[in-house]
Amino acid sequence: MTPRLRRIAVALGVVGAGVGLLVAPAGAQEEPSGSASGIEGLLQTPILELNLPPLPLIELPPGGTNELPGLSVPGLLDAGLLQVTANEAPDNGAASTATVAGLAVLPGVADVTGELITSACEATPGGGSGDASLVNTSVAGTPVAVTPQPNTSIAIPLVGSVTLNEQTTEGGRTTVRALHIEVDAPLGVAADLAVATSVCQAGAAAGGPGGPGGPEIPVAEAPTPTPATPTLAG
Amino acid sequence: MRRVWRRGAAAIALASCLGVGALAAPAVAEPSEGPGTANESATPTESAPASLVAKALVPEVGVYDTPDAPAPSRVLTNPTATNGELVFLVDAVAEGWLQVLLPVKPNGSTGWIRASDVALAANPYRIVVDLKKHRLTVFNGDQRVMRKPIGIGKEQTPTPKGRYYITQLFQPPNPNGPYGPYAYALSGYSEVLETFKGADAIIGIHGTNRPDLVGKDVSSGCIRMRNPAITRLASMLPLGTPVEIRGSPPR
């Protein structure tokens, strides 16, 4: 919550004491936090089951950068340089990035390749945001947009799906996965891989949730649309 | 005497009394538009506060002319006739009561509702529509996050100036139709059309299947955006987002 929102909350808390509707948002915390990872998840074949931990991983706190020069599971997964960062940002915020170069996942099955795959997120007490960039990236041989809309899903018939720029927000925590590869293919090949994951959660505004500043109100979010043709003066 | 928090000057005075700093009213002045500002990069603008959104918690919300009125002057149903959440934009807060902008005729109608009938949320977003420049700008607090060209009402069916708010988001079954993939209903109505296709002539902000007409005076009062822009807004703006429509199109 921004200082301005907090000021409104304070004013309401005093003046509108009878309102009784001021609540702290779920997940409010004092310090910013976050993480970033290059590749993590499950790879499975009839002869191999591999649970990949986040490689590489950086966490905030303490934050900083981490990288791996490459990652290879022959015939299943190859990646070049993997770099991740997670740091504090102004206004008690958090910012994370994850970059994976030279990606190739399940060639001949899902056939996901990418020259440079990046996710990034930022969070302040007023909210979080994120995006993904997919340079020269293809799914099942078909090129995809460099900056896809959040949560763009691409189905691979008989194989599974890949979600581009997958974004979730829960309890004030924003998570962006540049690619989320989910495969359940014939012949026992399966995968649930997150590529270039960034996670951000802001700390409380000074005097905000959990602090000495007083009551809070939740921040409004975008609604679920009504599935109907509107009656508007078009 | 009832103590009231209001948007704008009263809020400034109150905040000052409380020692919590100034609460500025939603600004009406836009920053100057320089080269390159048509893109969507966040640009610092004048300071502006969050607004307050009130969402109904009960099936019927009574609207009173004053908090002391013995009976409501009207009752609004929740969900609405178009199966949407009943929401209000809050103008003032008193003990147990909220003064709100209403989604009814005439445009700009306000009334008082019981605070216990609604849940409050803060909303950092606001929209400014400049009819003269055929332009819609979205702010998130101090930051301008979108500026896009728009189509507006024809001379015979102008887009009404005034202060409104978003009441409902629709997702038409045909994203390639005249409303595009998404359409917002606003709290305002056409001031020349009583009805439109048999329904109230509600003003909206929506996509279009005629992107070539964006930037022109073409509609029956609604504000038309290109489909990528309205799609982006659909995942961004809460119900209750204030919409200020100002300026006059050159005729």
Side-chain angles (χ1 to χ4, degrees):
Chain A
M1 180 168 282
T2 65
R4 188 172 302 106
L5 294 189
R6 182 173 55 79
R7 287 199 294 270
I8 290 176
V10 170
L12 285 171
V14 175
V15 181
V19 175
L21 293 168
L22 309 178
V23 296
Q29 57 165 15
E30 282 299 317
E31 299 299 327
S33 65
S35 65
S37 62
I39 294 177
E40 65 176 297
L42 171 74
L43 266 177
Q44 193 171 22
T45 71
I47 59 170
L48 173 71
E49 180 173 327
L50 195 57
N51 276 299
L52 290 171
L55 294 171
L57 173 68
I58 187 69
E59 292 183 299
L60 171 71
T65 63
N66 197 0
E67 67 179 44
L68 272 180
L71 181 64
S72 180
V73 182
L76 298 177
L77 166 67
D78 273 293
L81 184 64
L82 304 98
Q83 294 178 309
V84 292
T85 70
N87 291 292
E88 290 190 17
D91 298 328
N92 216 18
S96 301
T97 64
T99 300
V100 176
L103 179 75
V105 177
L106 294 176
V109 184
D111 209 11
V112 179
T113 61
E115 182 178 328
L116 192 64
I117 295 166
T118 303
S119 73
C121 63
E122 290 184 359
T124 68
S129 63
D131 55 37
S133 169
L134 311 173
V135 177
N136 287 335
T137 300
S138 296
V139 174
T142 301
V144 301
V146 176
T147 54
Q149 290 289 319
N151 303 312
T152 300
S153 182
I154 296 179
I156 309 173
L158 302 177
V159 170
S161 65
V162 176
T163 303
L164 315 179
N165 191 13
E166 183 180 81
Q167 297 195 14
T168 58
T169 301
E170 185 175 357
R173 178 176 293 261
T174 298
T175 300
V176 183
R177 298 180 183 91
L179 296 175
H180 186 180
I181 302 166
E182 296 173 280
V183 170
D184 187 7
L187 305 177
V189 177
D192 187 349
L193 285 177
V195 179
T197 300
S198 299
V199 181
C200 297
Q201 182 163 19
E216 290 283 352
I217 55 176
V219 176
E221 296 181 350
T224 301
T226 304
T229 299
T231 52
L232 304 172
Chain B
M1 181 177 174
R2 192 181 305 278
R3 292 182 299 175
V4 178
W5 169 89
R6 284 187 187 282
R7 298 166 59 254
I12 294 173
L14 175 63
S16 178
C17 292
L18 295 171
V20 293
L23 291 169
V28 294
E30 274 189 87
S32 60
E33 185 177 12
T37 53
N39 65 30
E40 298 175 14
S41 61
T43 304
T45 71
E46 76 283 8
S47 181
S51 59
L52 283 176
V53 182
K55 287 189 180 182
L57 298 172
V58 294
E60 294 184 332
V61 175
V63 179
Y64 297 75
D65 291 337
T66 69
D68 301 325
S73 56
R74 67 170 75 223
V75 174
L76 300 179
T77 60
N78 177 50
T80 65
T82 53
N83 201 31
E85 287 183 283
L86 179 60
V87 297
F88 304 94
L89 176 59
V90 178
D91 269 349
V93 179
E95 289 181 18
W97 291 88
L98 304 168
Q99 188 180 36
V100 296
L101 191 59
L102 298 169
V104 302
K105 295 178 182 177
N107 289 338
S109 296
T110 63
W112 289 86
I113 62 174
R114 295 183 186 279
S116 57
D117 286 349
V118 298
L120 286 178
N123 177 12
Y125 291 98
R126 62 192 172 91
I127 290 176
V128 175
V129 172
D130 188 328
L131 298 176
K132 183 178 181 181
K133 297 180 179 176
H134 292 86
R135 192 172 68 191
L136 181 149
T137 307
V138 181
F139 295 93
N140 179 351
D142 295 341
Q143 301 292 315
R144 189 177 71 213
V145 295
M146 179 188 284
R147 173 171 285 179
K148 292 295 183 184
I150 53 172
I152 61 174
K154 294 175 287 196
E155 186 169 3
Q156 302 84 352
T157 55
T159 303
K161 289 187 283 187
R163 182 169 158 267
Y164 310 102
Y165 66 94
I166 290 172
T167 57
Q168 191 166 1
L169 173 62
F170 291 92
Q171 187 172 23
N174 177 12
N176 300 314
Y179 293 107
Y182 292 100
Y184 285 111
L186 303 186
S187 58
Y189 295 78
S190 169
E191 292 177 341
V192 296
L193 298 176
E194 192 65 26
T195 61
F196 184 80
K197 295 183 178 177
D200 286 336
I202 295 172
I203 299 302
I205 301 174
H206 57 76
T208 181
N209 58 358
R210 292 294 307 273
D212 54 309
L213 298 181
V214 167
K216 300 177 180 176
D217 303 350
V218 291
S219 78
S220 297
C222 279
I223 294 158
R224 299 182 187 178
M225 305 181 74
R226 294 193 174 100
N227 290 347
I230 195 71
T231 298
R232 185 165 167 227
L233 290 185
S235 62
M236 180 191 300
L237 301 177
L239 300 182
T241 295
V243 178
E244 182 196 346
I245 301 177
R246 65 187 189 209
S248 298
R251 302 292 189 191

